[in-house]
Every structure is written in structure tokens, then in C-alpha cells.
């Protein structure tokens, strides 16, 4: 009897533990070890926390709520945690940065919408709620990012875009090895990523497959944006205009007469209908007023 | 030829209410005092802006716009009684035509002011005329309301011309200035055949012209809603739905006015029980049409319950607006229809109470059309105080909403003290024909 009870209890305990550990696993972030160790090149202080708060209010608050008040959006699944909680605070800066960069489920990624500086400032704001936190600064020197030059070469025969990344140090050119590179094309709303995020090879080169059918402006110009992220040199962004898109010359939506356009460019059918109705009603009213004068005149004559 | 004594009796009966008695002064004093109180509320709104109201970012149309729709709706009755019934040869409606026209003119003219009251910066109204786009239903609305007010004024005035002559000749104790106004307005009327011919022709033209304009005024008002893609407004039957609803509130307003004029101006021989009986039947008819449109408007989307529609409809059928929604449908439409089917109910006194319910229901029906939709935007409302999400009218706002209603009563009372409320010439002609 006693033994049976024990077995049941152990089984129940096991099931519960298994269930909770599954739940926890579902919420845990799987962050690669090299990302986990990443640190901020910005020193966290009151000023960075303050500007981080502004970024937080605009981009994060609608789901996570006010930090420390646990008033996030309860309708989402999984629920966005309060960022002052231990669950969040025991993550490394690198892990937080990774979460911001990749996003998951309902959480969007902020890699392309917030600058690296702003992303670190948000983390600075989140850390300001943790009294025990001690910052480890990265060895990245953002002032050195100015030295880096990104060269873009497009091969029309193979449709490949080749990038070479070189830092012009005083001691001579240094190629950036194993740096993260992303390629984008500017569109109406934001940037469109081309191919995948890759790393430079030992010569500082990265090659992307470039699509043939991207619509450009009237002569086929595309604005190409390359983003390089390096341990030492930080984030570097470079833009060029290349005539490698499909020439597209669509008139603007407000160029022709349309219902949404200004009064001068109203559709003819509305102008004609409206004006003729007003004119017809007006004409009848004039006729009636004339009749009134006629009545008065007849009476005056007799 | 009708004997002179009968003509004299009709004339003196119908002119008898054109005098300032004690009751009138008391009633007018009460109206003006209440109006001034409401205007004080409006001045605070002018001073502090729309912040004194319950309106906000999400619910930006509230009681003022409901009021506007109600006013435009009620004004449509002029077209139905004086034009549609007149043209179709329904002679019984002739004595009611002027009452209907006065109601139409008062409500339509004040409707324009109601819109100005909804503006936080009323001095910017001029921009509608300077920069208005003719693609916008708002411009159409301004145009068509102006046209309707002009035509209604003419349709009220032209049949009055012969009566102005009587007013000038037969009224005593009226100030000299009023006498001069009557003389000027009578346009040298001598009742010659030629004058009568022109007058009848003008009335005929206006009676026909007012039908499309009146349909236009309320259809365009409905398009202010229906041309947006919002839940509850995105409907293709909004035009006829609004027009049929307009006749319901208009009929109720005319029944109330008939009742009041009849008892306070001693017009029992001219507004008879027959008129009430016919008006009751007319009210049942238009209410049934309106009920039919209501069924279409709520039952069809209610059967499908599309995601966003469902949110809106649940709120109306069983949510926070349910009590108002069902009260309006039951007490403002279904019970009045059933009651008026009984002959006993088609008498002046019970009809007064029924019509008051219908008119009150009609006002709240506009509220039900305007407000719940504004509380359900497609984009979710996040991180705002609870008071932003639901609309709660303030006291100031309620007083400002009351102001135009009082103004209409002032106009309707005032006009009935200046002009005969039953057409004199037409009544005489009618007796002459039936003798």
C-alpha cells in the first residue's frame, strides 16, 4: 500500500516536472555561443538609459508594458515578459541583443529598423532596473568604423554581387575577416534584404546572388545598401546607386484625375454630375423667383 | 359662391392664434432661458475646445453627429406630406402641409448649425467653401442641405402669399411693422386667375423639385457613413435605410405638432380625428418599411458574423449597447406599430404619447448608428486610458446637444405666431368645392 502510494506520487511528480521543463524549454531562447558573449561598445549610464527609454516607449511598450509594472499585453501567447524580471535580467547583454536582432513569433526583429546604437541603448534602459548589473564593455572601437571601406562589384554575366571589406589603418590596409555582411536594396518602405546574411572570407570578400527582376527607377537605378558588422570595427553601412534593376516608369498615384486627388484633378464624371445638378436646381430656383416677381407685377398693375 | 359668414368664420378661426397671449410669452420665455443656459455651455466649448466633450481620438463623432442625422431625418417629412401626398391627390393632407413645411424648414436650417457645433474651431468652416473637394461627401452634404433649405423656404412661402393678404387685412392688434411685412410678403396678391395660375405652377415645380433634393439630402448624409469601410457603416442599403427612418421620425414630429397646435390654438374643426387616423396609418406604413430595412441591416451581417462585424454586432445585441439597441427597436418601432393597428389608439391623446416614444427612439437610433462603430476601429486600441476607448458624453456636451432642439421649438413656435398654421385660402377653396 505504502509502496504503491509512493510510486503514484513519484510518477505524478515526474509528469509535473517534465511538463514544466517542457514549458520552460518552449520559452527559452536558443542563442549561439558567439552571440551570447557579444558586449556593447557603448558605456551604459543615465544618459544612454534615458534615450533608451524613448526608443522603448516607441517600439517595445505596446507589448511589454511599463518596465517593472508587469502590465504587458496579456492577450499574446507566449506573454511578453516584464523586462525587469529575473527571467530577463539573468540573460547576458549578448543574448538580449540577439533577441532584439532576431525576434520570434509575435515579437518582430529590430535589426533593420533600429540602429545598433539604439538597440544597445534599449538594453541600457532595461539594465537600469537591475541594481546588481555590472557592465562588460566590448573591445569594439566605433571610431574605427570610419576607416572601413566597402567596395561593391556587380558581375552582370553571373548576376553576382561581390563585396570586399578593407580597413585603411595608418599602418596599411587590413582586410576584415569573418565579419557579418548583409546586402539590401532600398524600397518604398524600408529595405529589402538580398540573399542571406553571410561572413567575409579570409580575403575580406563576400559574394551574393543578385536577382535579375528588381524594379528600379525610370532608368533602372537601384540603391544598394551593404551592412558590415565586425568585432573590432563595429557596424559599417555603405550605399551606392547601380543601374542594374528593371527600368520602371509608373506614373504617381496623384498624377492623373482620381477620386482621391485634389479638386483640380477631380474625375470628370464627378465634376459634370455635381455641376449639372447644382445648375439645374439653381435654374429652377431662379425661375421660381422670377414667378414671384411676375405675381407682384400683375397685382401692382390692377 | 360660399356665403360670406362661413368665409369669415374660417378666416377668423385660422387667424385667431396670431396674437401674443400670456401662455405664449411664458412658453417662449422658458424656451429662451433654457436656450441661453445651453449657449453658456457652448461658450465654454468655444473657449476650451472639444476637450469639454466626451469626444476623443477614437470616438470623434458622438451626440452632435447623432443630433445632426436626426435633424436632417426629421426635416424630410416636408417632402413626404406637402409634396408626395399633394401630388398624389391626397386632399386630406392639405391642412397639414404647412405644419410639415415649418417642421422641415426649422430642422433643416438648424441641422447646419448642429454641424458647426461639432467643430472645435468653427471659424474654419470657411475652409470647406475655400478648399472643399467635390469628391468628398461632406461637400455634397453642404450643397444639398443648402438647396433643401432654400426649396423648403420657398415651398413654405409661396402657398402663404394669398394668406398674407388675409393677415394684412383681417388681423387686429398687430404692430404696424408686422402689418407692413405682411403687405410686402403678399406681393400685391389680388387673387386674379393669372396670379393663381403662376402660383399653382410654381408650387407644382417646387413640389417635384423637392423630391430628388430631399432624397438627396438624406442619402448623402447616409453616405457620410456608408462611403467609409468601417464596421456597421459599410453597407449598401444605408441610403434607403436612412430615408425610410427619416419618414418615421418626421411623421412622429408632425403628429406631436398637430396635437399641440390643435389644442392650444383651438383648431379642432380643422385638424380633425380623421387627420390623426390617417397620420397614424402613414406612421405605421413608414415604420413597417423602416423595420424591414432594419431587418436587412442587422440580420444579414448577423447571419454571417464576419470577424469584425461580429465584434460590433455582439456589442449591439448583447454587449454594452444592448439595452439601448433593443429599447429603440422595441419601444420606438415594434410596439408603436402594433398599438397603432388598433382604432382606439389612433386618437389624438394616445398618439401624442406614441409619437413621443417614436421620436425619442429615432434620436437614440442615430446614436446607435454613430457611436458603437466609432468604438470599434479596425486597428486595435492599445495603451490608452479606458476613458478613450468608450464614449461617455459630458454634461456640457448634453446641454450643447439640447440647444438646437430648443432652437427648433423656438422657430416652430415663433413661425406659428406670425403665420396661419392652416392654409386659409386652400381651406376656403376646399369648402367651396365640397359645398
Amino acid at each position: 500500500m505504502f509502496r504503491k502510494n509512493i510510486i503514484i506520487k513519484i510518477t505524478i511528480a515526474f509528469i509535473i516536472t517534465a511538463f514544466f521543463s517542457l514549458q520552460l524549454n518552449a520559452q527559452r531562447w536558443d542563442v549561439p555561443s558567439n552571440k551570447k558573449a557579444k558586449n556593447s561598445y557603448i558605456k551604459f549610464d543615465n544618459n544612454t538609459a534615458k534615450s533608451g527609454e524613448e526608443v522603448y516607449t516607441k517600439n517595445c511598450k505596446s507589448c511589454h508594458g511599463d518596465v517593472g509594472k508587469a502590465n504587458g499585453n496579456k492577450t499574446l501567447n507566449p506573454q511578453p515578459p516584464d523586462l525587469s524580471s529575473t527571467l530577463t535580467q539573468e540573460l547576458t547583454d549578448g543574448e538580449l541583443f540577439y533577441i532584439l536582432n532576431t525576434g520570434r513569433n509575435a515579437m518582430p526583429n529590430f535589426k533593420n529598423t533600429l540602429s545598433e546604437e539604439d538597440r544597445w541603448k534599449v538594453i541600457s534602459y532595461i539594465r537600469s532596473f537591475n541594481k546588481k548589473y555590472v557592465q562588460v564593455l566590448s573591445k569594439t572601437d566605433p571610431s574605427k568604423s570610419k576607416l572601413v571601406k566597402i567596395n561593391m562589384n556587380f558581375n552582370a554575366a553571373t548576376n553576382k554581387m561581390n563585396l570586399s571589406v578593407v580597413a585603411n589603418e595608418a599602418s596599411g590596409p587590413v582586410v576584415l575577416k569573418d565579419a557579418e555582411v548583409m546586402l539590401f536594396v532600398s524600397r518604398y518602405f524600408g529595405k529589402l534584404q538580398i540573399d542571406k546574411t553571410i561572413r567575409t572570407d579570409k580575403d575580406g570578400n563576400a559574394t551574393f546572388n543578385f536577382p535579375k527582376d528588381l524594379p528600379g527607377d525610370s532608368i533602372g537605378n537601384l540603391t544598394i545598401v551593404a551592412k558590415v558588422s565586425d568585432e573590432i570595427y563595429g557596424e559599417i553601412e555603405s550605399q551606392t546607386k547601380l543601374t542594374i534593376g528593371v527600368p520602371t516608369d509608373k506614373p504617381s498615384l496623384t498624377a492623373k484625375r482620381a477620386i482621391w486627388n485634389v479638386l483640380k484633378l477631380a474625375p470628370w464624371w464627378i465634376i459634370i454630375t455635381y455641376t449639372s445638378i447644382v445648375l439645374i436646381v439653381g435654374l429652377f430656383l431662379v425661375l421660381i423667383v422670377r414667378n414671384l416677381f411676375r405675381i407682384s407685377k400683375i397685382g401692382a398693375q390692377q | 359662391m360660399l356665403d360670406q359668414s362661413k368665409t369669415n368664420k374660417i378666416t377668423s378661426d385660422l387667424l385667431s392664434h396670431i396674437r401674443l397671449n400670456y401662455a405664449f410669452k411664458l412658453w417662449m420665455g422658458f424656451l429662451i432661458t433654457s436656450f441661453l443656459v445651453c449657449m453658456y455651455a457652448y461658450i465654454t466649448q468655444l473657449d476650451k475646445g472639444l476637450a469639454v466633450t466626451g469626444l476623443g481620438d477614437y470616438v470623434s463623432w458622438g451626440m452632435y453627429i447623432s443630433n445632426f442625422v436626426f435633424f436632417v431625418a426629421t426635416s424630410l417629412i416636408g417632402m413626404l406630406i406637402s409634396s408626395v401626398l399633394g401630388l398624389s391627390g391626397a386632399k386630406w393632407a392639405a391642412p397639414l402641409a404647412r405644419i410639415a413645411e415649418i417642421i422641415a424648414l426649422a430642422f433643416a436650417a438648424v441641422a447646419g448649425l448642429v454641424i458647426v457645433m461639432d467643430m472645435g474651431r468653427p471659424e474654419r468652416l470657411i475652409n470647406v467653401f475655400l478648399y472643399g473637394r467635390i469628391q468628398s461627401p461632406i461637400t455634397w452634404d453642404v450643397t444639398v442641405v443648402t438647396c433643401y433649405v432654400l426649396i423648403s423656404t420657398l415651398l413654405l412661402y409661396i402657398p402663404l402669399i394669398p394668406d398674407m393678404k388675409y393677415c394684412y387685412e383681417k388681423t387686429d392688434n398687430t404692430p404696424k411693422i408686422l402689418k407692413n411685412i405682411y403687405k410686402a410678403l403678399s406681393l400685391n396678391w389680388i387673387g386674379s386667375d393669372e396670379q393663381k395660375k403662376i402660383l399653382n405652377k410654381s408650387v407644382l415645380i417646387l413640389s417635384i423639385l423637392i423630391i430628388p433634393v430631399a432624397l438627396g439630402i438624406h442619402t448623402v448624409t447616409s453616405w457620410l457613413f456608408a462611403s467609409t469601410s468601417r464596421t456597421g457603416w459599410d453597407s449598401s442599403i444605408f441610403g434607403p435605410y436612412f430615408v425610410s427612418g427619416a419618414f418615421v421620425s418626421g411623421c412622429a414630429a408632425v403628429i406631436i405638432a398637430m396635437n399641440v397646435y390643435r389644442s392650444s390654438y383651438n383648431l379642432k374643426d380643422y385638424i380633425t380625428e380623421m387627420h390623426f387616423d390617417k397620420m397614424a396609418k402613414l406612421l405605421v406604413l413608414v415604420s413597417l418599411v423602416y423595420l424591414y430595412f432594419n431587418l436587412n441591416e442587422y440580420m444579414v451581417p448577423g447571419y454571417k458574423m464576419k470577424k469584425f462585424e461580429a465584434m460590433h454586432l455582439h456589442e449591439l445585441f448583447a454587449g454594452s449597447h444592448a439595452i439601448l439597441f433593443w429599447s429603440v427597436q422595441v419601444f420606438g418601432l415594434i410596439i408603436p406599430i402594433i398599438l397603432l393597428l388598433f382604432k382606439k389608439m389612433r386618437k389624438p391623446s394616445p398618439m401624442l404619447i406614441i409619437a413621443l416614444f417614436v421620436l425619442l427612439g429615432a434620436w437614440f437610433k442615430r446614436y446607435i448608428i454613430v457611436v458603437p462603430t466609432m468604438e470599434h476601429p479596425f486597428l486595435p486600441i492599445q495603451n490608452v486610458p479606458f476613458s478613450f476607448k468608450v464614449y461617455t458624453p459630458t454634461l456640457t456636451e448634453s446641454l450643447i446637444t439640447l440647444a438646437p432642439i430648443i432652437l427648433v421649438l423656438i422657430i416652430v413656435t415663433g413661425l406659428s405666431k406670425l403665420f396661419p398654421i392652416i392654409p386659409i385660402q386652400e381651406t376656403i377653396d376646399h369648402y367651396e368645392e365640397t359645398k
Side-chain angles (χ1 to χ4, degrees):
Chain A
M1 190 67 195
F2 173 76
R3 180 176 277 183
K4 205 178 174 187
N5 256 342
I6 279 284
I7 291 171
I8 291 171
K9 277 178 183 166
I10 290 173
T11 320
I12 290 171
F14 181 75
I15 290 170
I16 290 174
T17 324
F19 180 75
F20 274 105
S21 58
L22 270 176
Q23 283 290 95
L24 278 177
N25 270 337
Q27 293 195 355
R28 202 161 277 159
W29 288 80
D30 211 4
V31 183
S33 57
N34 63 329
K35 306 270 183 186
K36 209 168 174 173
K38 193 172 169 76
N39 286 314
S40 166
Y41 61 86
I42 297 173
K43 172 111 183 69
F44 294 168
D45 56 22
N46 282 340
N47 286 333
T48 57
K50 209 171 173 190
S51 36
E53 187 181 358
E54 276 172 33
V55 182
Y56 180 88
T57 311
K58 274 186 202 153
N59 299 284
C60 322
K61 193 181 160 180
S62 58
C63 294
H64 286 281
D66 300 295
V67 183
K69 287 190 184 162
N71 60 355
N73 190 337
K74 302 271 188 299
T75 60
L76 292 172
N77 185 27
Q79 268 186 32
D82 183 314
L83 299 177
S84 67
S85 63
T86 27
L87 186 80
T88 305
Q89 294 292 349
E90 65 191 10
L91 297 172
T92 66
D93 288 352
E95 281 172 313
L96 291 175
F97 192 70
Y98 177 83
I99 291 168
L100 264 176
N101 283 347
T102 54
R104 186 171 67 175
N105 297 332
M107 175 161 166
N109 76 68
F110 292 92
K111 190 159 190 172
N112 302 325
T113 48
L114 293 180
S115 69
E116 182 172 9
E117 196 180 319
D118 278 347
R119 275 174 269 153
W120 283 123
K121 279 177 177 168
V122 170
I123 294 170
S124 160
Y125 172 62
I126 294 169
R127 290 301 189 200
S128 70
F129 290 87
N130 184 356
K131 295 276 174 299
K132 290 177 207 152
Y133 171 75
V134 184
Q135 195 190 3
V136 182
L137 266 174
S138 115
K139 45 187 179 171
T140 308
D141 182 0
S143 66
K144 288 179 92 172
S145 69
K146 277 179 259 163
L147 304 174
V148 180
K149 182 119 178 62
I150 304 172
N151 287 312
M152 290 186 226
N153 277 309
F154 181 67
N155 186 336
T158 55
N159 269 310
K160 288 201 191 293
M161 178 76 83
N162 187 272
L163 265 64
S164 67
V165 192
V166 184
N168 294 311
E169 293 276 4
S171 53
V174 177
V175 292
L176 268 65
K177 292 175 207 163
D178 202 35
E180 198 180 80
V181 194
M182 289 190 283
L183 193 69
F184 301 92
V185 171
S186 286
R187 302 279 83 182
Y188 264 124
F189 302 102
K191 289 180 280 221
L192 172 76
Q193 188 171 9
I194 303 296
D195 212 344
K196 284 177 284 190
T197 306
I198 51 177
R199 290 186 169 272
T200 49
D201 59 15
K202 59 181 169 37
D203 303 319
N205 287 328
T207 309
F208 295 88
N209 290 316
F210 202 86
K212 287 183 225 173
D213 54 354
L214 278 184
D217 65 5
S218 56
I219 53 164
N221 277 334
L222 289 177
T223 306
I224 318 259
V225 182
K227 261 190 177 179
V228 174
S229 177
D230 185 76
E231 277 286 289
I232 299 163
Y233 293 92
E235 264 192 8
I236 307 108
E237 195 179 300
S238 164
Q239 249 187 39
T240 46
K241 217 170 212 182
L242 294 173
T243 317
I244 54 175
V246 180
T248 317
D249 197 8
K250 281 199 182 134
S252 130
L253 285 172
T254 50
K256 286 185 182 170
R257 289 189 176 275
I259 203 137
W260 54 83
N261 222 326
V262 290
L263 179 60
K264 275 181 188 163
L265 289 171
W268 280 115
W269 68 266
I270 282 188
I271 298 177
I272 292 166
T273 315
Y274 178 88
T275 327
S276 45
I277 289 174
V278 170
L279 277 179
I280 289 169
V281 173
L283 217 65
F284 275 113
L285 290 181
V286 170
L287 183 77
I288 299 293
V289 173
R290 196 177 138 258
N291 278 353
L292 293 180
F293 276 109
R294 276 172 67 199
I295 288 176
S296 172
K297 212 171 161 190
I298 293 166
Q301 278 167 355
Q302 295 190 0
Chain B
M1 194 66 199
L2 191 68
D3 53 298
Q4 202 58 38
S5 65
K6 183 74 186 168
T7 318
N8 284 343
K9 187 182 180 315
I10 293 174
T11 317
S12 66
D13 275 356
L14 296 183
L15 286 175
S16 66
H17 62 82
I18 305 182
R19 65 195 156 82
L20 305 178
N21 57 0
Y22 185 68
F24 167 76
K25 283 177 189 162
L26 201 70
W27 170 239
M28 211 50 168
F30 166 72
L31 285 180
I32 289 174
T33 318
S34 329
F35 186 69
L36 289 177
V37 171
C38 296
M39 282 325 278
Y40 174 74
Y42 183 62
I43 288 168
T44 56
Q45 180 181 303
L46 275 183
D47 181 33
K48 301 207 167 70
L50 289 178
V52 298
T53 69
L55 301 169
D57 285 12
Y58 297 101
V59 183
S60 54
W61 283 5
M63 288 217 293
Y64 296 156
I65 299 291
S66 317
N67 220 17
F68 169 72
V69 180
F70 172 77
F71 272 60
V72 173
T74 313
S75 78
L76 240 63
I77 195 63
M79 175 272 258
L80 183 67
I81 290 185
S82 68
S83 163
V84 175
L85 292 183
L87 288 173
S88 60
K91 285 238 163 26
W92 65 267
L96 307 180
R98 192 162 294 157
I99 297 178
E101 264 325 312
I102 287 179
I103 287 177
L105 179 63
F107 275 98
V110 175
L113 295 178
V114 177
I115 280 296
V116 178
M117 284 181 160
D118 189 39
M119 300 174 72
R121 296 285 300 270
E123 79 278 10
R124 292 186 180 169
L125 181 69
I126 189 82
N127 292 347
V128 174
F129 302 99
L130 292 179
Y131 310 109
R133 293 162 63 249
I134 58 166
Q135 298 99 305
S136 162
I138 289 177
T139 312
W140 309 340
D141 211 38
V142 171
T143 315
V144 80
V145 170
T146 315
C147 282
Y148 188 71
V149 170
L150 286 176
I151 298 175
S152 290
T153 314
L154 286 171
L155 207 49
L156 174 66
Y157 169 58
I158 294 180
L160 251 176
I161 296 173
D163 292 2
M164 288 290 90
K165 184 82 172 168
Y166 289 107
C167 284
Y168 173 61
E169 286 173 352
K170 303 276 167 70
T171 51
D172 340 297
N173 307 328
T174 39
K176 200 162 185 290
I177 180 153
L178 195 59
K179 282 243 175 198
N180 286 337
I181 291 173
Y182 287 145
K183 190 172 171 9
L185 286 177
S186 72
L187 296 179
N188 305 321
W189 181 261
I190 48 163
S192 74
D193 287 344
E194 208 179 343
Q195 278 186 325
K196 277 185 184 165
K197 207 178 133 195
I198 299 172
L199 184 121
N200 289 337
K201 206 173 164 188
S202 305
V203 172
L204 182 67
I205 291 172
L206 286 173
S207 301
I208 297 170
L209 188 64
I210 203 167
I211 296 174
V213 174
L215 287 176
I217 176 178
H218 214 37
T219 307
V220 171
T221 307
S222 83
W223 286 350
L224 293 179
F225 301 93
S227 59
T228 66
S229 64
R230 296 193 62 161
T231 327
W233 294 349
D234 187 9
S235 159
S236 55
I237 62 159
F238 247 43
Y241 172 55
F242 269 45
V243 169
S244 59
F247 293 147
V248 174
S249 64
C251 275
V254 166
I255 289 169
I256 295 167
M258 277 163 70
N259 243 306
V260 175
Y261 286 145
R262 182 179 191 251
S263 49
S264 54
Y265 295 165
N266 223 349
L267 298 171
K268 289 200 171 58
D269 294 340
Y270 303 91
I271 305 175
T272 61
E273 296 214 342
M274 177 272 288
H275 290 110
F276 280 93
D277 186 66
K278 299 256 190 196
M279 277 307 291
K281 286 172 179 166
L282 185 65
L283 180 58
V284 171
L285 173 71
V286 292
S287 297
L288 282 172
V289 175
Y290 191 44
L291 190 66
Y292 168 70
F293 274 110
N294 267 290
L295 193 70
N296 277 277
E297 181 58 24
Y298 292 108
M299 195 278 201
V300 175
Y303 188 84
K304 294 178 281 191
M305 282 292 180
K306 288 192 278 185
K307 191 179 169 193
F308 288 101
E309 296 278 340
M311 228 162 70
H312 173 72
L313 290 175
H314 275 304
E315 207 65 4
L316 290 185
F317 295 164
S320 57
H321 293 290
I323 293 174
L324 194 57
F325 177 80
W326 291 113
S327 309
V328 161
Q329 300 289 13
V330 173
F331 298 110
L333 210 52
I334 294 169
I335 292 182
I337 292 174
I338 295 170
L339 286 180
L340 289 175
L341 292 178
F342 297 97
K343 200 162 185 178
K344 269 187 186 166
M345 289 291 158
R346 297 201 294 269
K347 302 280 177 223
S349 312
M351 274 175 71
L352 178 66
I353 297 164
I354 293 172
L356 280 171
F357 266 92
V358 172
L359 200 67
L360 209 64
W363 194 92
F364 282 106
K365 184 65 202 284
R366 272 59 189 185
Y367 185 90
I368 278 293
I369 291 173
V370 174
V371 172
T373 290
M374 295 244 75
E375 287 178 356
H376 303 124
F378 283 115
L379 292 174
I381 306 177
Q382 288 176 342
N383 288 313
V384 293
F386 181 71
S387 63
F388 284 28
K389 297 184 191 177
V390 291
Y391 169 65
T392 326
T394 62
L395 177 67
T396 314
E397 193 177 1
S398 310
L399 285 175
I400 297 171
T401 307
L402 216 55
I405 298 171
I406 299 170
L407 189 59
V408 162
L409 289 176
I410 292 176
I411 295 175
V412 169
T413 316
L415 285 178
S416 76
K417 278 290 160 187
L418 292 173
F419 306 114
I421 204 79
I422 309 279
I424 300 173
Q425 188 63 52
E426 274 181 65
T427 313
I428 293 173
D429 291 349
H430 181 69
Y431 274 103
E432 225 164 282
E433 278 170 29
T434 51
K435 198 173 70 165

